[in-house]
Amino acid sequence: MATLILDTSHKLLAVGIVKDNQVLASLQEDMRQKQSEKLVYFIEAVLNKANISKKEIDSIVLTDGPGSYTGLRIAMTFTKVFALTQDIKVYTISTFLSISGKKDGFVMLDARSKRVFGAHVKDGVVLDTDIYNLSDISEAWGPFYGDTSLIGLENHFGEVVFNINELKESWKVVESIDTLSPRYAS
């Protein structure tokens, strides 16, 4: 059986297929608010590349925030519909961890108005989350991940599917698909 990994919570659309703890196929691209138009295409592409059928998917892992209001809802809506049509397990993981993986540093996502959703991360654990003014971010918090162009660096999102796969111990089981909801700010 296989796990489908989804992240639509920020600029990127990341989709992957994992089987036996190995990433068989993944796609990641900067979508700039076009995730809803490309999600199903990306899923079909990774399924084809991995030679896996939809019926072989027995679990989905998706980011649950923080992140874009609409972006978070795209993967969640897909997951809810898919879970209603197939008997699958659903897990969530923090968007911050999807970006940083097990690396230490500070993860940031654009919250507009010169602010970011931010978190210090260490060894694959989110230590704290908050909304920070860009002017309050210290160089000492680095290395930095995510929308780092906001502080004059090149954006650094890493390999989201691989990060999520390596952090299986951080996946949180969704007991009821009806209770699946985004964490917008923390």
Side-chain angles (χ1 to χ4, degrees):
M1 299 309 278
T3 299
L4 176 64
I5 293 178
L6 304 173
D7 187 355
T8 60
S9 63
H10 45 85
K11 292 177 183 169
L12 299 181
L13 170 56
V15 176
I17 294 291
V18 173
K19 189 171 183 179
D20 300 324
N21 293 321
Q22 297 295 315
V23 176
L24 301 180
S26 69
L27 283 172
Q28 178 173 303
E29 191 174 317
D30 187 334
M31 284 287 134
R32 307 258 181 205
Q33 301 176 342
K34 302 251 188 241
Q35 289 94 331
S36 64
E37 297 172 27
K38 299 288 185 174
L39 178 61
V40 172
Y41 168 78
F42 270 44
I43 292 169
E44 289 175 357
V46 297
L47 287 171
N48 288 335
K49 186 175 180 182
N51 199 26
I52 299 280
S53 77
K54 287 184 273 191
K55 292 182 181 187
E56 292 178 75
I57 297 172
D58 66 347
S59 60
I60 295 178
V61 182
L62 70 152
T63 54
D64 67 347
S68 157
Y69 179 88
T70 302
L72 286 164
R73 293 194 168 274
I74 292 166
M76 290 205 175
T77 301
F78 174 86
T79 300
K80 284 182 175 192
V81 171
F82 196 83
L84 290 171
T85 63
Q86 294 198 173
D87 183 26
I88 63 167
K89 292 181 181 173
V90 176
Y91 302 90
T92 61
I93 189 167
S94 166
T95 301
F96 293 130
L97 293 179
S98 77
I99 294 169
S100 66
K102 291 189 175 185
K103 299 175 200 78
D104 299 348
F106 186 78
V107 183
M108 63 179 71
L109 293 168
D110 191 356
R112 310 245 194 275
S113 301
K114 297 184 181 181
R115 298 175 307 151
V116 294
F117 301 116
H120 297 275
V121 293
K122 184 171 178 62
D123 298 321
V125 176
V126 177
L127 301 176
D128 58 12
T129 62
D130 208 341
I131 298 175
Y132 296 88
N133 291 317
L134 289 173
S135 60
D136 294 335
I137 296 173
S138 167
E139 285 185 32
W141 297 355
F144 296 98
Y145 307 98
D147 285 319
T148 53
S149 62
L150 297 169
I151 58 170
L153 303 172
E154 186 175 326
N155 284 338
H156 188 266
F157 286 94
E159 295 292 331
V160 169
V161 169
F162 291 87
N163 288 343
I164 292 172
N165 184 51
E166 80 173 347
L167 287 165
K168 192 167 186 172
E169 68 277 2
S170 297
W171 298 1
K172 292 183 170 69
V173 69
V174 175
E175 298 294 339
S176 168
I177 196 65
D178 296 327
T179 63
L180 179 62
S181 60
R183 290 181 298 131
Y184 294 113
S186 62

